[in-house]
Coordinates of all heavy atoms in Angstrom, one line a residue:
L944 N -13.2 -2.6 -2.4 CA -13.6 -2.5 -1.0 C -12.9 -3.6 -0.2 O -12.4 -3.3 1.0 CB -15.1 -2.5 -0.9 CG -15.8 -1.2 -1.2 CD1 -17.3 -1.4 -1.1 CD2 -15.3 0.0 -0.3
V945 N -13.0 -4.8 -0.7 CA -12.4 -6.0 0.0 C -10.9 -5.8 0.1 O -10.2 -6.1 1.1 CB -12.8 -7.3 -0.6 CG1 -11.9 -8.4 0.0 CG2 -14.2 -7.6 -0.5
A946 N -10.3 -5.3 -1.0 CA -8.8 -5.1 -1.1 C -8.4 -4.0 0.0 O -7.4 -4.3 0.7 CB -8.4 -4.7 -2.5
A947 N -9.1 -3.0 0.1 CA -8.8 -1.9 1.0 C -8.9 -2.3 2.5 O -8.1 -2.1 3.3 CB -9.6 -0.6 0.7
A948 N -10.0 -3.1 2.7 CA -10.3 -3.6 4.0 C -9.2 -4.7 4.4 O -8.8 -4.6 5.5 CB -11.7 -4.2 4.1
A949 N -8.8 -5.5 3.5 CA -7.8 -6.5 3.8 C -6.5 -5.9 4.1 O -5.8 -6.3 5.0 CB -7.7 -7.5 2.7
W950 N -6.1 -4.8 3.3 CA -4.8 -4.2 3.6 C -4.8 -3.5 5.0 O -3.9 -3.5 5.7 CB -4.5 -3.1 2.5 CG -3.2 -2.5 2.5 CD1 -2.8 -1.5 3.4 CD2 -2.1 -2.8 1.8 NE1 -1.5 -1.1 3.2 CE2 -1.0 -2.0 2.2 CE3 -1.9 -3.7 0.7 CZ2 0.2 -2.0 1.6 CZ3 -0.6 -3.7 0.1 CH2 0.4 -2.9 0.6
A951 N -6.0 -2.8 5.3 CA -6.1 -2.2 6.6 C -6.1 -3.2 7.7 O -5.3 -3.0 8.7 CB -7.4 -1.4 6.6
F952 N -6.8 -4.3 7.6 CA -6.8 -5.3 8.7 C -5.5 -5.9 8.9 O -5.0 -6.1 9.9 CB -7.8 -6.4 8.4 CG -8.0 -7.4 9.4 CD1 -8.4 -7.1 10.7 CD2 -7.6 -8.8 9.3 CE1 -8.6 -8.0 11.7 CE2 -7.8 -9.7 10.2 CZ -8.2 -9.3 11.5
G953 N -4.7 -6.1 7.7 CA -3.4 -6.7 7.9 C -2.4 -5.8 8.5 O -1.6 -6.2 9.3
S954 N -2.6 -4.5 8.3 CA -1.8 -3.4 8.9 C -1.9 -3.4 10.4 O -1.0 -3.3 11.1 CB -2.0 -2.1 8.3 OG -1.7 -2.1 6.9
V955 N -3.3 -3.5 10.8 CA -3.6 -3.5 12.2 C -3.1 -4.9 12.9 O -2.5 -4.8 14.0 CB -5.1 -3.3 12.4 CG1 -5.5 -3.4 13.9 CG2 -5.5 -1.9 11.9
L956 N -3.4 -5.9 12.2 CA -3.1 -7.2 12.8 C -1.6 -7.4 13.0 O -1.1 -8.1 13.9 CB -3.7 -8.3 12.0 CG -3.6 -9.8 12.4 CD1 -4.3 -9.9 13.8 CD2 -4.1 -10.7 11.4
S957 N -0.8 -6.8 12.1 CA 0.6 -7.0 12.1 C 1.3 -6.5 13.4 O 2.4 -7.0 13.7 CB 1.3 -6.3 10.9 OG 1.2 -4.8 11.1
K958 N 0.6 -5.7 14.1 CA 1.2 -5.2 15.4 C 1.0 -6.2 16.5 O 1.5 -6.1 17.6 CB 0.5 -3.9 15.8 CG 0.7 -2.7 14.8 CD 0.2 -1.4 15.3 CE 1.0 -0.9 16.5 NZ 2.4 -0.6 16.1

Side-chain angles (χ1 to χ4, degrees):
L944 283 175
V945 170
W950 187 284
F952 183 64
S954 297
V955 174
L956 185 63
S957 66
K958 299 186 70 64

